[in-house]
Amino acid sequence: MAPGPGDRSGGPGYPYPYVISTPPGCRRQGILGTAVRDYIHVDDLAAAQILALASLEQGSTTAAYNLGSGRGYSVLEVIKAAEKVTGQKVPYRGGPPRPGDPAVLVASAEKAMAELGWRPRYTELEDIIATAWQWHRRRPRGYSQGIIFSRMSRGR
């Protein structure tokens, strides 16, 4: 099962919890390959979902869309960008690629752009990481100390 919002488990394919949310000195050493992936900001994902829902409300048929910036970054580039944004060293060690893992996965969002008018607002890796870093600095324990969780736990 994929990690949910605010999840810090660092499941497969999710380097952010390793490079953003864990305090220095507490990071787990992991084997990080050099696979290239297309990262998307959560705000851009939400914007695309809102546009898709609006399209459905206007009578469009259900459709599948790929979303991304169209640019891939290696895990090492994510680590280096995180180090630059946070000012903290991220410990890592290289290892062989996971069996069956494609070396490069980059999305083509042309269909979403053409049909929904969607465009990613955050296209630079450092910007994506900077906003994630700001979020995690305000909520070091994830949603468990956020506004949404506290309102839900009080029955509001």
Side-chain angles (χ1 to χ4, degrees), residues 18-40:
Y18 291 114
V19 298
I20 293 292
S21 65
T22 307
C26 298
R27 289 191 175 103
R28 294 174 270 172
Q29 291 279 357
I31 297 175
L32 300 172
T34 58
V36 172
R37 299 293 182 262
D38 186 348
Y39 295 95
I40 182 172

Side-chain angles (χ1 to χ4, degrees), residues 48-49 52-53 55-56 60-67 111-112 115-116:
Q49 291 173 335
L53 286 171
S55 178
L56 288 172
S60 295
T61 59
T62 302
Y65 298 97
N66 288 320
L67 301 173
K111 182 178 175 184
E115 293 181 12
L116 302 175

Side-chain angles (χ1 to χ4, degrees), residues 4 13 20 22 26 32 41 45 58 64 74 79 81 87 90 114 120 134 141:
I20 293 292
T22 307
C26 298
L32 300 172
H41 194 280
L45 177 62
Q58 294 170 3
S74 71
I79 290 168
V90 176
Q134 291 166 4
R141 291 187 306 269

